[in-house]
Amino acid sequence: MKLTRPHQPLRNSSFNSKHRPLCTCKSFISDNDEEKETQFIDTLKKIVRGNQSWKLALNDAVLSTPLKSHHIEKVLIQTLDDCRLALRFFNFLGLHKNFNHSTASFCILIHGLVQSNLFWPASSLLQTLLLPGLNPKAVFDAFLDCYEKCRFSSSLGFDLLINSYVQNKRVSDAVFIFRLMKKNNLFPEVRTLNGVLNALVKIRQFGLVLELFDEIVIVGILPDIYMHTAVMRSLCELKDFVRAKEMICYMDSAGCDLNVVMYNILIHGLCKSQRAFEAVEVKNSLTERGLTADVVTYCTLVLGLCKVQEFEVGVGLMNEMIELGFAPSEAAVSGLVEGLRRKGKIEDAFNLVNKVGRVGVVPNLFVYNALINSLCKDRRFNEAEFLFNKMGPKGLSPNDVTYSILIDSLCRRGEMDIAVCFLRKMADQGINATIYPYNSLISGHCKLGNLSAAESFFDEMIDKGLTPTVITYTSLISGYCNVGELCKAFRLYHEMTGKGIAPNTYTFTALISGLCQANIMAKAIELFDEMVAHNVMPNEVTYNVMIEGHCREGNMVKAFELLGEMPGKGLLADSYTYRALITGLCSAGRVSEAKEFVDGLHREHHKLNEMCYSALLHGYCKDGRLNDALGACREMVERGVDMDLVCYAVLIDGSLKQSDTRRYFRLLKEMHDQGLRPDNVIYTSMIDAKSKAGNLRGAFRLWDVMVGEGCVPNVVTYTALVNGLCRAGCMDKAELLCKEMLASSSLPNQITYGRFLDHLTKEGNMEKAVQLHNAMLEGLLANTVTYNILIHGFCKMGKFQEATELLCGMMDNGVLPDCITYSTLIYEYCRRGSLHEALKLWDSMLNQGLKPDTIAYNFLIYGCCIRGELAKAFELRDDMIRRGMKPNKFTHNALNHATCLK
């Protein structure tokens, strides 16, 4: 048989090869040269077996015949009794003579080395042979030809060929060689076949494993436990559990030495297919077969049960294995703890960690961090700290994630000092802080209004080379907006965008909220549009803030337009949205429309909460419609919403304002019957009602009851009593109460001092009023309202010069005048006949972006009328109507009177 082989270069560390033709052991030579060939080969054999130098001998002129492959093949065959010598000669020719050996030479030597148990050099030689990428069929044919002609007694050379293909991840070629061997009645060893089957399992050729196994059994090869294991894995991966169980039964009946490993494979397969309870049944059947479940069995089952969310059963198995003395694997413990945690069973997860810790098993750091995080979110801070403190002794080092979780938790509950201690501890342990703990600290301080501390941590973060993120900037922006520092907020916003950090939904929402709270709706609308233009999608909170802003401004049309936009954006309105709209309608005096809106929401099955209904109740009570409010309460309860303290507070306040004592006591009793006790809001309402009615004795009696029930009076409560005392002319007692207030934790605010200021101006005691106001300026308590009280007082006393000077003074002190400020002075100018000055002040008000109200229009229309400027008066009337305000009786009377005079 003639072997052919493509001419490809072959390189090896032991010899250099050139193009090497496939040759056979027998060459076609003439009869005349046969004797010379025989003599030449004998000479070569003597040189190989002799003691002289091969290099010198092969250079001798006697060896004039060029070396050919068939010469070497015959020498190798005749030297197989000393395979090491044959190998040395083979390598010598390649290294020193650049001889290109034939495939046959390789095969002869490989077979010979294997037969002499020299597997390592045979394997190395085989790797060299296969290196150029010979066709497996050609290699097999060469191996078979040499095997048959040289009559080797062992076929292990073929096993070596199969193993070589397996090692080189050419498993399909290994299968091909096996099938060629089978055709030629040659059979590899069982361990060789095991290698092939396991290699097929690794590359997930499960169908081929089963096919090959059937071929092995058919030819009479007796499979061992390892071969059955590979087949079992394949059946389980193919989810053919019927055949998998049949195989176990077959092995048992055939007397095979079954062990727990085979059952573990079946259990693993069932668990992987989410058939954990069947797997548990297999485990329970082990005792009947005289086998005992091992740690792998239990850990596999625990992980399988976790996969099907059966954590309680998993805990039971974990307890069982611990009682048997098995130490569960980290993966099993981690999987079970994480599963319990995700299911909200934090208590069980925490207890499991403690239990397995006693046998020396600790979940991995990821699970530990996740459990600490869950405990923190569940407000179980002591347990979280306990786990943290146990990490070190158990050989588990907290990392930056662990510290970040704890610092964030502390910041969220306002424990900033402890959070800072953890940050310093983190540094002491050599753990580099990331941006996350700093973001938490900055956010925590901002929420508490401690912006100086937030700025300090921001600077520290920059000094450490950490780059602020959008979260960092958004926290600070939100903090500034919450305290009305819009300039600083926008400066940070521009700094952030200047650095290429894109603002997100929360950034825009914080800025829009700040603008809405400051009643700068034009800028809020502009920013909302800019947000959409930047492809940053508003969320429910953004829409709620905008809707509330429009409602606060009284622009209910725009507010409801935004409500209509939300479904198209995939956003759902919630109780916060509805409450803002209900409040807006009620504030605009459209309580009946608010009620219709609430009824419509109920018909559409939207869920409303107590806050929505309390807004409606407040609207009714503000309009003096207490009976309607009580009717709305009955509907609210019928719709499944329980009355809370806020609802009762609104109703009690409404009944007090209407002096409906009977209703007031009935509401108090009803509240007590439901287990609710008045809070400081309700007590303050009652005290305020008594004070305004001049019943100061009753007000102080309620004060005593309030304190006796553990309700702490706040600044509003004190202000209500101060107001009552001032109205009664008891200024000394009012001042004493203020001193008592200063001694408590409730400091007087603008409203408290405003009561004093108002009373002093009404009494005409402007000197003392100015002194008090100057003190308020020093304490940063003066505001637009207090300035308006003073301006009104000076105007009332005819001291108009002092009043106009106050307008300049308030601007110098950073206090912005409002519509009332300008209206008061405009009226005074008009009354004095200074229409020109009144119009200048009017223009100044409009330039400041203030919208005049009906009273302001009426004052200026009145001034125009008395000066005979009817055209201007009617022009103002028309402008008033364009702005959505209706002229009232005062407007018509002024215009009619002036027209008649004309």
Side-chain angles (χ1 to χ4, degrees):
M1 179 173 67
K2 177 78 173 175
L3 290 176
T4 59
R5 170 179 180 166
H7 295 281
Q8 298 184 35
L10 178 68
R11 300 194 181 277
N12 184 271
S13 59
S14 59
F15 55 87
N16 294 323
S17 60
K18 297 176 182 176
H19 294 304
R20 165 169 94 240
L22 291 175
C23 298
T24 64
C25 295
K26 181 177 180 180
S27 300
F28 294 97
I29 57 177
S30 64
D31 294 338
N32 296 332
D33 295 332
E34 188 173 351
E35 186 177 346
K36 288 183 180 180
E37 285 285 312
T38 304
Q39 289 176 356
F40 180 72
I41 290 165
D42 287 341
T43 303
L44 278 177
K45 187 170 69 172
K46 287 176 183 178
I47 290 170
V48 171
R49 292 183 179 273
N51 295 323
Q52 66 189 94
S53 167
W54 289 350
K55 195 169 187 179
L56 293 172
L58 291 175
N59 286 332
D60 197 306
V62 176
L63 297 174
S64 57
T65 305
L67 282 173
K68 294 183 180 177
S69 293
H70 67 273
H71 299 144
I72 306 305
E73 290 164 13
K74 288 184 178 180
V75 170
L76 289 175
I77 290 170
Q78 294 177 28
T79 319
L80 284 177
D81 59 318
D82 188 351
C83 283
R84 293 181 189 275
L85 181 64
L87 178 62
R88 280 177 52 214
F89 179 61
F90 181 91
N91 287 337
F92 171 83
L93 291 176
L95 184 64
H96 296 286
K97 293 293 182 178
N98 290 327
F99 190 80
N100 190 24
H101 288 292
S102 68
T103 301
S105 294
F106 273 92
C107 295
I108 292 163
L109 193 52
I110 289 166
H111 275 300
L113 289 167
V114 169
Q115 193 159 282
S116 299
N117 292 324
L118 297 172
F119 292 99
W120 186 86
S123 178
S124 176
L125 208 59
L126 180 57
Q127 292 298 329
T128 305
L129 174 65
L130 299 178
L131 193 64
L134 291 177
N135 183 289
K137 177 69 166 64
V139 175
F140 177 80
D141 288 344
F143 259 73
L144 183 64
D145 189 53
C146 293
Y147 174 77
E148 290 176 342
K149 288 187 177 180
C150 297
R151 297 182 180 179
F152 287 107
S153 59
S154 170
S155 64
L156 286 177
F158 295 98
D159 286 70
L160 188 67
L161 178 59
I162 290 173
N163 287 329
S164 183
Y165 279 128
V166 169
Q167 288 169 13
N168 288 311
K169 298 181 179 178
R170 296 171 61 181
V171 191
S172 57
D173 290 338
V175 173
F176 180 69
I177 298 297
F178 163 70
R179 286 173 171 164
L180 289 175
M181 286 179 70
K182 191 175 60 167
K183 283 182 181 178
N184 290 276
N185 290 318
L186 294 170
F187 303 105
E189 291 189 338
V190 171
R191 62 181 177 180
T192 303
L193 293 171
N194 286 339
V196 175
L197 292 177
N198 282 303
L200 288 170
V201 169
K202 284 181 182 177
I203 62 172
R204 305 188 65 78
Q205 292 288 328
F206 307 118
L208 187 53
V209 170
L210 301 181
E211 188 180 317
L212 202 61
F213 177 75
D214 289 340
E215 293 177 23
I216 291 167
V217 173
I218 288 169
V219 297
I221 297 173
L222 187 63
D224 62 2
I225 188 69
Y226 302 105
M227 195 177 291
H228 281 117
T229 299
V231 174
M232 178 64 78
R233 289 187 193 281
S234 299
L235 288 169
C236 289
E237 288 291 342
L238 293 170
K239 296 183 175 55
D240 192 347
F241 298 111
V242 174
R243 284 182 65 189
K245 291 174 182 177
E246 286 175 355
M247 170 162 280
I248 287 179
C249 293
Y250 165 76
M251 289 174 68
D252 192 27
S253 62
C256 293
D257 188 18
L258 275 170
N259 57 26
V260 74
V261 175
M262 187 68 70
Y263 286 96
N264 285 345
I265 293 168
L266 177 59
I267 287 168
H268 178 265
L270 289 166
C271 288
K272 192 175 178 182
S273 296
Q274 299 192 356
R275 296 167 68 169
F277 285 105
E278 284 185 53
V280 172
E281 289 176 9
V282 173
K283 172 255 177 190
N284 293 336
S285 70
L286 289 176
T287 51
E288 299 172 7
R289 303 175 188 275
L291 297 171
T292 305
D294 60 9
V295 66
V296 176
T297 319
Y298 279 103
C299 290
T300 305
L301 285 169
V302 167
L303 289 169
L305 289 162
C306 288
K307 186 176 282 190
V308 295
Q309 308 284 305
E310 291 291 342
F311 304 112
E312 293 82 357
V313 183
V315 170
L317 276 176
M318 183 73 73
N319 292 334
E320 184 181 319
M321 70 185 295
I322 291 171
E323 288 171 8
L324 289 169
F326 293 128
S329 67
E330 180 192 292
V333 173
S334 297
L336 195 51
V337 171
E338 178 66 1
L340 290 166
R341 184 192 70 81
R342 286 181 180 277
K343 205 172 181 181
K345 295 183 175 293
I346 311 300
E347 182 75 32
D348 293 341
F350 179 72
N351 291 338
L352 183 62
V353 168
N354 289 333
K355 185 163 189 173
V356 297
R358 288 193 285 271
V359 295
V361 182
V362 182
N364 60 37
L365 186 58
F366 171 80
V367 172
Y368 233 92
N369 286 342
L371 182 54
I372 288 172
N373 189 36
S374 291
L375 287 166
C376 289
K377 286 182 177 178
D378 212 29
R379 305 190 66 80
R380 297 173 62 179
F381 308 116
N382 292 335
E383 287 96 330
E385 192 173 344
F386 172 81
L387 281 184
F388 174 78
N389 293 331
K390 288 289 183 184
M391 289 176 76
K394 290 184 177 180
L396 205 60
S397 299
N399 61 2
D400 60 302
V401 177
T402 321
Y403 278 103
S404 297
I405 290 166
L406 288 167
I407 289 169
D408 184 65
S409 170
L410 290 162
C411 291
R412 285 179 185 276
R413 61 185 194 264
E415 296 181 21
M416 303 307 298
D417 292 339
I418 304 174
V420 173
C421 288
F422 268 95
L423 183 71
R424 304 305 175 218
K425 187 176 180 181
M426 187 177 177
D428 293 341
Q429 293 190 359
I431 301 171
N432 292 326
T434 60
I435 191 72
Y436 303 107
Y438 277 102
N439 280 349
S440 299
L441 287 163
I442 290 167
S443 176
H445 282 299
C446 286
K447 284 176 181 175
L448 293 172
N450 192 355
L451 287 164
S452 59
E455 289 165 352
S456 174
F457 279 108
F458 181 80
D459 294 337
E460 181 182 319
M461 182 183 76
I462 300 293
D463 291 342
K464 288 192 174 183
L466 297 172
T467 305
T469 64
V470 65
I471 297 170
T472 322
Y473 279 107
T474 300
S475 295
L476 283 166
I477 287 168
S478 180
Y480 285 129
C481 287
N482 288 338
V483 296
E485 296 276 2
L486 290 178
C487 291
K488 288 185 178 180
F490 274 95
R491 188 173 70 242
L492 268 182
Y493 169 70
H494 293 305
E495 178 186 318
M496 178 182 76
T497 53
K499 289 181 177 179
I501 301 171
N504 60 19
T505 302
Y506 303 101
T507 318
F508 279 110
T509 301
L511 287 167
I512 290 168
S513 177
L515 291 166
C516 289
Q517 287 174 21
N519 293 319
I520 311 175
M521 283 307 297
K523 182 66 178 173
I525 293 166
E526 182 185 320
L527 197 61
F528 184 81
D529 294 338
E530 182 183 330
M531 177 184 187
V532 176
H534 280 83
N535 291 321
V536 180
M537 290 299 104
N539 60 13
E540 284 88 350
V541 179
T542 321
Y543 269 94
N544 287 344
V545 166
M546 285 294 293
I547 287 169
E548 189 173 25
H550 284 300
C551 289
R552 193 183 293 114
E553 199 181 43
N555 192 349
M556 298 308 298
V557 173
K558 187 61 181 175
F560 274 99
E561 279 180 12
L562 287 174
L563 176 68
E565 281 182 20
M566 290 179 74
K569 307 276 186 182
L571 303 174
L572 295 174
D574 55 14
S575 56
Y576 189 95
T577 324
Y578 301 136
R579 186 189 68 167
L581 290 163
I582 294 163
T583 302
L585 289 168
C586 291
S587 298
R590 298 159 64 181
V591 187
S592 297
E593 290 180 50
K595 176 63 167 60
E596 289 173 10
F597 178 58
V598 168
D599 292 341
L601 291 171
H602 177 69
R603 284 193 297 272
E604 292 172 9
H605 306 292
H606 291 291
K607 189 72 175 174
L608 300 181
N609 60 10
E610 298 87 345
M611 296 170 71
C612 297
Y613 279 100
S614 64
L616 179 62
L617 299 180
H618 181 73
Y620 273 132
C621 291
K622 187 180 174 184
D623 265 14
R625 297 165 61 180
L626 183 59
N627 288 331
D628 289 333
L630 292 167
C633 279
R634 285 191 292 273
E635 287 183 10
M636 166 184 169
V637 174
E638 287 169 4
R639 289 169 181 175
V641 182
D642 294 328
M643 293 274 288
D644 63 357
L645 269 178
V646 177
C647 294
Y648 277 111
V650 171
L651 292 174
I652 287 169
D653 186 61
S655 62
L656 288 170
K657 283 178 180 174
Q658 289 195 7
S659 301
D660 193 340
T661 310
R662 184 181 298 174
R663 186 82 66 188
Y664 154 68
F665 281 114
R666 190 181 299 163
L667 286 167
L668 274 179
K669 183 180 182 303
E670 184 182 318
M671 189 174 68
H672 275 279
D673 291 342
Q674 292 195 20
L676 299 173
R677 293 290 178 269
D679 59 1
N680 52 12
V681 176
I682 294 175
Y683 274 116
T684 300
S685 294
M686 295 190 289
I687 289 167
D688 185 52
K690 296 283 185 186
S691 297
K692 285 177 179 176
N695 186 1
L696 290 174
R697 184 175 295 176
F700 276 101
R701 193 181 301 119
L702 277 170
W703 174 283
D704 293 336
V705 174
M706 175 183 181
V707 173
E709 289 198 358
C711 280
V712 180
N714 58 22
V715 64
V716 183
T717 322
Y718 276 104
T719 303
L721 276 175
V722 167
N723 183 42
L725 290 167
C726 287
R727 288 172 61 138
C730 305
M731 296 300 293
D732 294 339
K733 289 184 178 179
E735 287 181 19
L736 282 172
L737 194 61
C738 269
K739 289 177 182 177
E740 181 187 323
M741 188 178 180
L742 289 166
S744 71
S745 59
S746 297
L747 296 177
N749 60 13
Q750 295 101 325
I751 300 172
T752 318
Y753 285 120
R755 299 300 185 199
F756 280 105
L757 200 63
D758 187 49
H759 183 73
L760 290 169
T761 55
K762 284 178 180 176
E763 284 187 342
N765 193 349
M766 297 305 296
E767 184 179 348
K768 197 167 184 179
V770 170
Q771 288 176 1
L772 177 60
H773 197 260
N774 289 337
M776 292 174 71
L777 278 170
E778 289 178 11
L780 301 176
L781 292 171
N783 61 8
T784 306
V785 175
T786 58
Y787 269 104
N788 286 346
I789 292 169
L790 275 180
I791 289 169
H792 180 73
F794 277 122
C795 288
K796 188 177 177 182
M797 292 184 68
K799 296 183 178 182
F800 191 57
Q801 181 65 32
E802 288 88 340
T804 53
E805 287 175 0
L806 277 172
L807 177 62
C808 298
M810 71 188 295
M811 290 183 177
D812 292 340
N813 287 314
V815 180
L816 297 176
D818 62 5
C819 185
I820 295 171
T821 319
Y822 283 106
S823 298
T824 305
L825 292 170
I826 286 168
Y827 174 73
E828 197 61 31
Y829 274 124
C830 290
R831 196 174 67 80
R832 291 167 178 264
S834 303
L835 180 61
H836 179 68
E837 294 298 325
L839 287 169
K840 277 174 62 179
L841 206 57
W842 178 270
D843 291 338
S844 176
M845 176 177 69
L846 295 178
N847 291 335
Q848 298 236 356
L850 293 172
K851 293 183 179 179
D853 58 9
T854 306
I855 296 171
Y857 271 107
N858 284 342
F859 283 164
L860 195 57
I861 288 169
Y862 162 74
C864 291
C865 288
I866 62 174
R867 292 293 295 172
E869 297 284 348
L870 277 180
K872 183 64 177 175
F874 277 103
E875 182 185 322
L876 286 166
R877 191 274 313 269
D878 295 340
D879 186 54
M880 179 182 181
I881 293 168
R882 275 196 301 274
R883 287 180 180 266
M885 284 171 276
K886 293 181 180 179
N888 59 16
K889 185 178 178 181
F890 185 92
T891 321
H892 293 301
N893 286 344
L895 290 168
N896 289 338
H897 182 68
T899 304
C900 291
L901 288 175
K902 187 85 172 181

